């Protein structure tokens, strides 16, 4: 079934709404793991590095599941894969919910790891499905951008809700206090499962009986090339690894650090971190509106450079320099960290476009590799906070400045396709 056939076959609105809801859940549950860093610090006495272990477990699941998820999608289709993802996500959040009552940090980490499998499966589903439902081209891209906006809303709500229900000081934070947020997540997962099962979701990319017979018989031609044969893709894959780590590391590290300050606390810090994800929403809406006029190369160059400037400003502004917002005294450096969300908002799309340019038939395989390297969202924050345990949270942002430096290099030099001699048709 072609994109055109999908578009004309039936009303696609219910399926689009389901995909939007899944986009929301991806960010909500992922940022729930990041926000829980404050909670495990309070309840389990975790160090800054260990506070990111839930996020690390969540994203390491991508490394384990990225390529298998693509295979499941190809063989079983969108409806089966999304249903499986929702069931796994419900179970993962339930395990995290129970961790506070059994007083076990290990159980919490296991729950985050299980939830990560769900997020990987959902990511594999929503992007190509929305593109297909939109009929490809500009309409398909527009649906993905709208989905990304809902993703940002989910990301905005998670830290705000966690900070609000914890309140007080970081020492008062417990998993039990966050129970209402986790129950909400489980309820949404349960509703999503019912809606998915009742919704007619087209399956244009599932393997045909002929494809399956060829695969089982081994009559599939071997190709001596792959996406890894292209230098600009290899560098782009590294850039994606760094980017996701930067996107997650910036707010997660700030949330744990500023929540521990007596004049800030979890509630205010959570609200500020919500501002970071709100900035990402604004950036994505702006990026979607100018995307047809401004090249991915220019967008990545500017945002990488500006983000470097913002982080350096945050590093050098003294902690004693504060501003008053709604009777709350907040360090000025925190604001520069928050507005980095304007920059990280459009980096994924820009890197993806640059890295897959000219790949042709290798694009689908490249997407699976990209999804595997999303694990950087767990590894980079863990490394950053291990550095923070030694040199302090603010100084640990130099590590992210270095990562952003690589993105700037990729935008200026590394994105050029120097392997145009490889056939891609």
């Amino acid at each position: 079934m072609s994109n055109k056939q999908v578009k004309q076959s039936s009303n696609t609105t219910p399926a689009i709404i389901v995909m939007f809801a899944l986009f929301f859940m991806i960010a909500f549950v992922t940022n729930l793991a990041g926000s829980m860093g404050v909670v495990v610090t309070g309840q389990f006495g975790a160090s800054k590095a260990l506070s990111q272990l839930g996020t690390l477990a969540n994203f390491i699941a991508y490394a384990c599941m990225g390529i298998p998820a693509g295979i499941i999608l190809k063989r079983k289709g969108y409806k089966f894969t999304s249903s499986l993802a929702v069931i796994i996500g419900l179970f993962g959040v339930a395990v995290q919910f129970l961790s506070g009552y059994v007083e076990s940090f290990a159980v919490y980490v296991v729950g985050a790891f299980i939830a990560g499998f769900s997020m990987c499966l959902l990511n594999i589903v929503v992007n190509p499905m929305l593109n297909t439902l939109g009929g490809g081209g500009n309409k398909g891209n527009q649906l993905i951008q709208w989905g990304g906006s809902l993703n940002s809303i989910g990301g905005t709500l998670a830290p705000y809700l966690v900070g609000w229900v914890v309140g007080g000081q970081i020492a008062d934070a417990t998993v039990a206090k966050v129970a209402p947020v986790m129950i909400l997540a489980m309820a949404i997962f349960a509703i999503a499962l019912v809606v998915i099962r009742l919704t007619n979701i087209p399956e244009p990319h599932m393997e045909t009986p002929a494809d399956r017979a060829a695969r089982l018989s081994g009559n599939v031609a071997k190709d001596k090339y792959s996406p890894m044969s292209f230098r600009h893709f290899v560098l782009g894959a590294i850039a994606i690894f760094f980017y996701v780590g930067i996107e997650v590391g910036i707010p997660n590290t700030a949330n744990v650090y500023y929540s521990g300050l007596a004049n800030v606390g979890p509630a205010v810090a959570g609200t500020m971190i919500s501002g970071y994800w709100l900035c990402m929403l604004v950036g994505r809406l702006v990026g979607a509106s100018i995307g047809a006029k401004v090249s991915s190369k220019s967008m990545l160059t500017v945002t990488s450079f500006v983000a470097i400037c913002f982080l350096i400003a945050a590093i050098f502004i003294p902690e004693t320099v504060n501003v008053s917002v709604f009777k709350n005294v907040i360090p000025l450096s925190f604001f520069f960290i928050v507005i980095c969300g304007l920059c990280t908002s459009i980096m994924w799309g820009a890197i993806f476009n640059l890295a897959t340019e000219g790949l042709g038939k290798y694009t689908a395989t490249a997407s699976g590799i990209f999804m595997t390297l999303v694990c950087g969202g767990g590894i980079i924050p863990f490394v950053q906070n291990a550095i923070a345990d030694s040199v302090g949270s603010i100084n640990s942002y130099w590590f992210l400045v270095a990562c952003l430096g690589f993105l700037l290099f990729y935008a200026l030099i590394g994105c050029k396709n120097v392997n145009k001699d490889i056939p891609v048709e």
Side-chain angles (χ1 to χ4, degrees):
M1 184 185 291
S2 66
N3 287 343
K4 186 176 181 181
Q5 287 173 312
V6 169
K7 206 173 179 182
Q8 294 176 344
S9 61
S10 62
N11 182 16
T12 59
T13 301
I16 290 173
I17 292 173
V18 169
M19 293 304 126
F20 280 175
L22 295 182
F23 245 125
F24 175 91
M25 287 306 299
I26 289 170
F28 187 86
V29 175
T30 300
N31 284 8
L32 179 60
S35 302
M36 287 292 289
V38 175
V39 178
V40 298
T41 299
Q43 182 167 2
F44 303 118
S47 65
K48 288 183 174 66
L50 291 179
S51 74
Q52 299 304 304
L53 206 54
T55 300
L56 176 62
N58 192 279
F59 279 97
I60 284 296
Y62 282 82
C64 301
M65 198 64 187
I67 294 176
I71 295 173
I72 293 172
L73 178 62
K74 182 68 176 177
R75 296 181 184 179
K76 296 294 186 179
Y78 288 106
K79 191 164 191 172
F80 176 89
T81 306
S82 57
S83 298
L84 177 63
V86 169
I87 293 171
I88 293 174
L90 177 59
F91 181 62
V93 175
V95 172
Q96 293 179 72
F97 173 77
L98 291 174
S99 70
Y101 296 93
V102 298
E103 293 285 336
S104 174
F105 183 55
V107 171
Y108 160 72
V109 173
V110 169
F113 184 65
I114 295 171
F117 280 105
S118 172
M119 297 308 100
C120 181
L121 284 166
L122 290 179
N123 264 306
I124 285 286
V125 168
V126 294
N127 288 286
M129 187 74 260
L130 279 179
N131 187 58
T132 299
L133 292 171
N138 292 337
K139 179 63 176 177
N141 180 57
Q142 184 181 41
L143 285 180
I144 292 175
Q145 294 297 334
W146 279 114
S149 299
L150 287 170
N151 184 269
S152 295
I153 294 174
T156 299
L157 285 176
Y160 175 78
L161 290 176
V162 171
W164 182 73
V165 297
V166 169
Q169 298 298 317
I170 195 169
D172 303 321
T174 63
V175 176
K177 282 192 173 183
V178 189
V181 182
M182 293 189 174
I183 292 172
L184 174 63
M186 289 187 285
I188 296 175
F189 270 131
I191 294 170
L193 178 61
V194 173
V195 174
I196 289 169
R197 300 313 301 170
L198 296 177
T199 302
N200 179 29
I201 299 177
E203 301 286 359
H205 300 134
M206 188 162 59
E207 69 177 2
T208 63
D211 292 334
R212 184 173 184 273
R215 173 172 56 80
L216 294 176
S217 65
N219 294 328
V220 180
K222 300 293 183 181
D223 195 332
K224 66 177 181 177
Y225 296 110
S226 74
M228 303 303 289
S229 303
F230 296 82
R231 189 195 74 169
H232 74 290
F233 172 75
V234 172
L235 294 176
I238 297 171
I240 280 291
F241 177 85
F242 283 143
Y243 158 68
V244 184
I246 292 165
E247 177 195 325
V248 177
I250 288 174
N252 281 16
T253 302
N255 200 9
V256 173
Y257 172 64
Y258 288 105
S259 291
L261 297 182
N263 64 321
V264 181
V268 175
T271 302
M272 289 291 290
I273 295 303
S274 293
Y276 170 86
W277 297 103
L278 186 60
C279 283
M280 285 194 68
L281 170 60
V282 173
R284 282 172 173 166
L285 292 175
V286 173
S289 65
I290 66 173
K293 301 176 182 178
V294 181
S295 70
S296 296
K297 180 184 176 77
S298 297
M299 292 174 75
L300 184 59
T301 300
V302 172
T303 53
S304 298
F305 178 75
V306 173
I308 289 173
C309 294
F310 284 161
L311 287 187
I312 291 177
I315 291 169
F316 281 106
I317 293 175
E319 187 180 300
T320 54
V321 179
N322 300 309
V323 294
S324 180
V325 180
F326 299 116
K327 298 182 180 180
N328 295 304
V329 177
I330 301 171
L332 180 60
S333 58
F334 204 171
F335 284 94
F336 280 95
I337 290 174
V338 167
I339 60 176
C340 282
L342 294 171
C343 301
T344 56
S345 59
I346 53 85
M347 287 180 175
W348 171 278
I351 295 170
F352 186 89
N353 286 341
L354 291 171
T356 57
E357 181 70 26
L359 294 189
K361 64 181 180 180
Y362 302 107
T363 301
T365 305
S367 298
I369 295 173
F370 261 38
M371 200 51 60
T372 300
L373 289 171
V374 167
C375 65
I379 296 173
I380 296 295
F382 182 80
V383 172
Q384 182 189 1
N385 279 274
I387 295 171
D389 283 328
S390 298
V391 301
S393 295
I394 294 299
N395 283 328
S396 73
Y397 278 97
W398 282 115
F399 175 56
L400 296 191
V401 169
C403 294
L404 283 164
F406 181 85
L407 299 191
L408 184 58
F409 156 78
Y410 182 69
L412 294 173
I413 300 172
C415 66
K416 183 179 180 181
N417 184 359
V418 296
N419 301 104
K420 294 182 179 180
D421 56 321
I422 298 176
V424 296
E425 298 299 328

